[in-house]
Amino acid sequence: MNLEQTNHPNSSQQVSHEQPVLMLDQVTKRIGKKTIVDRLSFEVRRGEIVGLLGPNGAGKTTAIRMMTGLFTINEGDIRIAGQSIRKQFKQAIVHVGGIIENPEFYPYMSGFDNLKQAARMTDNVTDARITEVISLLGLQEALHKKVKAYSLGMRQRLGIAQALLDRPKLLILDEPTNGLDPAGIREMRDYLKKIAQSEGIAILVSSHLLSEVEQMCTRVVIIQNGKLVTEHNIGDPKNATLLPELRIRVDRPSAAVQILKKLEPVQMIEVKEDASELVCRVADADMPTLIDALREADVVVYRIAESKKSLEDEFLQWTGGNQIA
Ligand SMILES: Nc1ncnc2c1ncn2[C@@H]1O[C@H](COP(=O)(O)OP(=O)(O)O)[C@@H](O)[C@H]1O
Ligand SMILES: [Mg+2]
């Protein structure tokens, strides 16, 4: 066990003295002359659900294949619970439960028999643990159906249940929501949150869909052309501005802006004359003052909308306008 402690006093991440469960350190993968993953570094800690986000072809699956020992690493290293994938492969890989692309099952066996079969091939999996993962993934009712009759969402859940059998410290899922409908995606999100909390493990989920990662993950690592673009904590108050940004549509924007500039609690951001719109920040408590002031000046308000800068807007900034697939 490596007892080295990592501490990031200046980082916006939660300070944790625990070593990361997954640590990529300048990982590089070349295939032929092409560099597919290029000096990629990031960490995932216990209890976190981290999204590995990038457009198709960004290198997500390649990175995950290296984490699960399916691809060799050309440069750098990956540590799992402190153990090097390159130097202590067996000690490192025991901590990983993963599904790359699609989980494989015996289609003519029930979900339960598939789990029993997987448990037989793994050390120290008790019947109680099988029951536990079944209930964790909400598979009780599907349990005695043949897997060939499972929906895609049920197959994914059975795959995750199977990956969790021997209590891995790290669960890695490559695009687990591909092909799921919105209800299936929501369900997957809820299950992953439940797993991260109740099992206290680290989860890495890859995706090419920003909206999905935004809702599912506590942190997102964005890659493009095999390189890290940025890391971003989701729902981190440090990333949020305190006052909501509002777009107010009025009949006379230049008159309105003169009024609002005199109101101390209102921070003007911009005036869009052509759209008859003002953009400002104001606390909920000061909204009545703002509305009264406009009404007294006979400015007609047509619409007030909160404009939330989404991860998508930020993503476009970070990547210089490149759309995610
Ligand atoms: N075995 C391989 N041989 C050659 N090129 C590969 C191989 N696997 C992936 N690639 C290339 O590496 C790039 C990244 O692929 P991949 O890791 O699958 O991206 P993602 O999972 O983000 O869509 C792509 O350009 C792909 O064509
Ligand atoms: Mg992929």
Side-chain angles (χ1 to χ4, degrees):
M1 195 68 182
N2 180 350
L3 294 175
E4 193 181 63
Q5 293 188 338
T6 324
N7 200 347
H8 298 275
N10 298 320
S11 143
S12 63
Q13 293 165 31
Q14 269 190 332
V15 175
S16 165
H17 297 277
E18 261 181 274
Q19 71 178 353
V21 178
L22 172 68
M23 192 186 84
L24 275 77
D25 180 18
Q26 301 280 312
V27 174
T28 298
K29 177 69 187 177
R30 283 184 293 267
I31 298 181
K33 286 200 169 135
K34 204 172 160 212
T35 304
I36 299 189
V37 173
D38 194 357
R39 285 162 291 160
L40 183 62
S41 301
F42 67 88
E43 295 176 354
V44 184
R45 291 169 185 276
R46 230 166 86 88
E48 277 193 310
I49 306 176
V50 172
L52 181 61
L53 177 68
N56 287 325
K60 303 181 295 294
T61 300
T62 306
I64 286 176
R65 284 178 171 272
M66 289 189 280
M67 296 169 208
T68 48
L70 297 171
F71 267 169
T72 55
I73 301 167
N74 291 116
E75 274 161 44
D77 201 358
I78 297 176
R79 286 179 176 271
I80 294 160
Q83 315 281 328
S84 156
I85 280 270
R86 291 182 88 170
K87 301 189 194 89
Q88 302 140 296
F89 180 74
K90 276 192 182 154
Q91 292 95 314
I93 211 71
V94 291
H95 301 296
V96 185
I99 304 176
I100 317 298
E101 275 124 36
N102 288 311
E104 297 287 329
F105 302 107
Y106 301 101
Y108 291 95
M109 274 163 54
S110 69
F112 185 68
D113 289 339
N114 267 279
L115 287 179
K116 288 283 269 188
Q117 180 62 22
R120 273 196 284 276
M121 298 193 290
T122 319
D123 291 338
N124 307 322
V125 178
T126 59
D127 284 352
R129 179 60 178 166
I130 298 177
T131 311
E132 199 171 40
V133 296
I134 287 166
S135 97
L136 193 57
L137 275 302
L139 287 164
Q140 296 91 329
E141 284 173 20
L143 215 55
H144 298 290
K145 265 198 214 173
K146 284 182 179 159
V147 166
K148 71 182 173 73
Y150 275 31
S151 68
L152 184 62
M154 280 155 64
R155 292 174 66 98
Q156 290 288 13
R157 275 150 53 199
L158 184 62
I160 296 171
Q162 186 170 307
L164 289 175
L165 279 174
D166 62 344
R167 300 182 185 279
K169 289 192 162 119
L170 173 66
L171 178 66
I172 301 179
L173 305 172
D174 192 14
E175 309 238 14
T177 56
N178 257 5
L180 296 185
D181 60 11
I185 294 175
R186 204 173 320 123
E187 214 175 65
M188 178 65 69
R189 182 175 81 210
D190 294 342
Y191 282 115
L192 292 184
K193 283 183 180 165
K194 197 165 115 188
I195 292 165
Q197 281 165 12
S198 67
E199 300 272 290
I201 62 176
I203 303 182
L204 181 73
V205 200
S206 75
S207 175
H208 63 278
L209 295 173
L210 202 55
S211 54
E212 181 180 295
V213 162
E214 197 169 18
Q215 290 169 21
M216 195 182 286
C217 301
T218 46
R219 194 151 57 82
V220 54
V221 171
I222 298 178
I223 66 168
Q224 204 177 22
N225 301 323
K227 291 192 186 72
L228 182 83
V229 177
T230 185
E231 272 187 57
H232 185 87
N233 287 355
I234 294 168
D236 181 342
K238 285 193 184 113
N239 292 329
T241 15
L242 294 171
L243 297 179
E245 188 178 302
L246 302 178
R247 286 180 293 124
I248 306 177
R249 208 159 109 209
V250 294
D251 62 342
R252 291 181 293 131
S254 44
V257 79
Q258 291 314 314
I259 294 156
L260 297 192
K261 273 184 177 164
K262 287 184 205 137
L263 296 180
E264 208 210 324
V266 179
Q267 301 169 7
M268 276 308 301
I269 298 175
E270 65 172 318
V271 191
K272 295 177 178 168
E273 292 275 359
D274 50 343
S276 295
E277 220 171 59
L278 314 169
V279 186
C280 64
R281 288 186 189 285
V282 61
D284 289 355
D286 296 314
M287 270 311 275
T289 314
L290 180 150
I291 289 169
D292 288 348
L294 292 176
R295 187 167 17 199
E296 271 165 35
D298 287 324
V299 172
V300 180
V301 177
Y302 295 119
R303 176 181 295 202
I304 300 180
E306 185 169 349
S307 81
K308 279 197 180 144
K309 197 165 154 200
S310 67
L311 191 56
E312 188 136 20
D313 297 332
E314 294 190 21
F315 180 83
L316 293 177
Q317 276 180 6
W318 296 327
T319 60
N322 283 325
Q323 280 285 0
I324 197 120

